[in-house]
Amino acid sequence: IEYEGVESAIDKYIIYLELQQSQAEISIALGEIQGDNYVPEVYPNILMDLAEGYATKGDIDRGLKLIPNIITYIGVLTGDTMLANYSGAGIGAKIHQIAGKFDTAIYIWEDYKRFLSEHSDLADSEEELAYYINMADGYLEELSCE
């Protein structure tokens, strides 16, 4: 950023993340071939950063296309369906927020809360369900201030 500016830094970071994504996907493919189903722990984080990078550059659709893999691999790595769905909603809302589409970000969090009410059986406990509802409410409150 200091020497080339923000745009150049973002472009280079995206290239770096795309390389990391490719390397992780090769590891996943090799894991499937070897039968151990290996997934690098950093893979969902790479995808989330890449999605935000694409959104920052104005390529929202490209960022949104990464969400299914983010949800899938957080679920695979953690075995936590609630966390995986929360992460998917969060990155979807964040992408739209970066793009200045606050109404869509709000809709995503409201839709996520509807999902939770319809699929409360996914939660391990009432406390876990309440936790994710409260998290969504916090983001909705934050977005209503913008």
Side-chain angles (χ1 to χ4, degrees):
I1 292 173
E2 184 176 335
Y3 296 107
E4 296 182 28
V6 173
E7 287 294 316
S8 177
I10 292 170
D11 290 341
K12 288 181 180 179
Y13 188 54
I14 288 172
I15 290 168
Y16 169 76
L17 289 170
E18 289 172 338
L19 174 62
Q20 293 295 311
Q21 177 189 18
S22 296
Q23 290 173 329
E25 288 171 353
I26 289 169
S27 294
I28 291 168
L30 288 173
E32 289 174 1
I33 291 168
Q34 295 170 347
D36 64 5
N37 295 324
Y38 172 74
V39 176
E41 289 181 20
V42 298
Y43 187 54
N45 293 330
I46 292 167
L47 296 178
M48 288 188 278
D49 283 355
L50 191 53
E52 287 183 31
Y54 289 147
T56 300
K57 296 295 290 177
D59 196 349
I60 297 169
D61 292 337
R62 198 167 178 192
L64 292 173
K65 287 179 183 175
L66 296 175
I67 292 174
N69 281 348
I70 293 168
I71 294 169
T72 297
Y73 287 106
I74 287 176
V76 166
L77 288 167
T78 66
D80 189 340
T81 303
M82 292 291 285
L83 176 62
N85 285 305
Y86 169 76
S87 299
I91 196 67
K94 178 85 177 225
I95 288 170
H96 284 90
Q97 188 176 355
I98 289 169
K101 297 182 175 187
F102 297 101
D103 290 343
T104 304
I106 289 169
Y107 175 80
I108 288 170
W109 283 118
E110 289 172 346
D111 191 52
Y112 173 70
K113 285 179 60 178
R114 279 189 292 277
F115 170 82
L116 290 176
S117 69
E118 293 170 7
H119 300 282
S120 59
D121 59 314
L122 294 174
D124 291 335
S125 65
E126 288 294 321
E127 292 80 19
E128 182 182 38
L129 182 62
Y131 171 80
Y132 285 109
I133 290 170
N134 288 335
M135 292 296 289
D137 284 338
Y139 284 111
L140 284 166
E141 185 178 319
E142 181 183 309
L143 285 165
S144 68
C145 293
E146 291 190 28

